[in-house]
Amino acid sequence: NKLQTTDLGNPNPNNGTFTITGGADSELEISDLNRRIVKRLHLTDTTTEIELSHEKNGVYFVKCIKDNQFTIKRIIIQKN
């Protein structure tokens, strides 16, 4: 089942800082292309700023899970 969220990661591409909107009371997992989870947290607010500027440039997957439903979005970290 697919979870309906407003936005998982805006702007995209980004410099390692992006916003999750519409994910209140859900679990968030962010992983790299090697499926290594780089961040895991419980979202309590409707809008949450995510900070991954310590991670390398590349493609990451944002997975939002709530009530046995989930959605996944690909984001790109591209620092100058």
Side-chain angles (χ1 to χ4, degrees), residues 2 11 14 16 18 27 49 59 64 70 77 80:
K2 188 171 182 179
N14 62 67
F18 57 93
E27 300 299 319
E49 184 171 289
V59 176
C64 189
F70 68 91
I77 295 178
N80 295 336

Side-chain angles (χ1 to χ4, degrees), residues 8-9 12 14 18 52 58-62 73-77:
L8 286 180
N12 191 20
N14 62 67
F18 57 93
L52 293 177
V59 176
Y60 293 81
F61 296 97
V62 179
K73 181 177 179 183
R74 182 183 69 156
I75 62 164
I76 298 171
I77 295 178

Side-chain angles (χ1 to χ4, degrees), residues 10-27:
N10 205 8
N12 191 20
N14 62 67
N15 63 1
T17 301
F18 57 93
T19 303
I20 304 290
T21 305
D25 198 30
S26 60
E27 300 299 319

Side-chain angles (χ1 to χ4, degrees), residues 26-67:
S26 60
E27 300 299 319
L28 189 77
E29 289 182 355
I30 303 171
S31 58
D32 62 17
L33 284 176
N34 295 319
R35 298 184 183 183
R36 176 182 64 99
I37 295 175
V38 298
K39 191 169 194 90
R40 179 181 284 149
L41 64 143
H42 179 79
L43 300 179
T44 56
D45 296 326
T46 303
T47 302
T48 305
E49 184 171 289
I50 304 296
E51 173 63 45
L52 293 177
S53 60
H54 60 281
E55 295 296 332
K56 296 179 182 176
N57 286 350
V59 176
Y60 293 81
F61 296 97
V62 179
K63 182 177 184 179
C64 189
I65 308 160
K66 181 178 180 178
D67 298 329

